[in-house]
Amino acid sequence: MLALSGAVAILALAGCGSGGKDEAAVPKAVTGSLEHIAAEAECEPNMQTDADTIRQAICKKGKEKYVLATFATDRGQREWLNSAKDYGGYYLVGRKWVAVGEEKTVTALQSTLGGTMEEGSEHMNPGGSHNSGSHHG
């Protein structure tokens, strides 16, 4: 229950005043293999990396592309996220999986996959990013 409260707080900050109703509609985060998560997102994954520690594929949602990655360990996921976020972008994060893409794409995925939104470095997201300093948290 505490984790759910934290997820709602993060969504409220990431939503930048979107009205509040969307935060309540976020489902419990999916779990499973890359193929299972891709199926939930209605994606046919184009595998890019298939290793013991990480599996990564390109998916499409409409005309938008995003990366879907699964990890063998929570630690591996967090280390990957910490490095990747230096490059900016928007990250939908579940248990041992991440979807990376444009804000509107990963926000739309959240209604299907659940998870929490995280944002990359403001230095790599100039202008349109929520982390440009206009919001306090």
Side-chain angles (χ1 to χ4, degrees):
M1 190 62 164
L2 183 59
L4 180 61
S5 298
V8 171
I10 290 169
L11 291 171
L13 291 173
C16 294
S18 63
K21 65 180 179 175
D22 293 336
E23 288 85 353
V26 174
K28 181 179 177 182
V30 298
T31 59
S33 69
L34 186 137
E35 290 80 5
H36 174 77
I37 295 166
E40 291 288 327
E42 299 179 2
C43 156
E44 288 189 36
N46 178 0
M47 292 300 292
Q48 303 295 307
T49 304
D50 194 357
D52 291 340
T53 57
I54 182 173
R55 299 185 73 220
Q56 186 170 305
I58 303 292
C59 286
K60 291 183 180 179
K61 184 160 186 72
K63 294 182 180 182
E64 303 295 326
K65 291 183 180 180
Y66 62 95
V67 174
L68 182 61
T70 57
F71 303 87
T73 65
D74 293 322
R75 180 179 177 178
Q77 176 187 21
R78 183 47 52 194
E79 288 173 354
W80 183 92
L81 267 169
N82 290 343
S83 295
K85 288 169 79 175
D86 288 342
Y87 297 96
Y90 295 87
Y91 301 79
L92 182 60
V93 181
R95 177 93 199 293
K96 295 186 185 176
W97 62 265
V98 176
V100 186
E102 292 188 22
E103 182 180 22
K104 66 182 178 179
T105 305
V106 293
T107 299
L109 283 171
Q110 191 175 34
S111 65
T112 303
L113 300 180
T116 57
M117 293 290 294
E118 295 187 23
E119 195 170 346
S121 170
E122 69 180 279
H123 302 292
M124 298 303 286
N125 283 341
S129 174
H130 285 294
N131 59 10
S132 63
S134 62
H135 294 277
H136 302 284

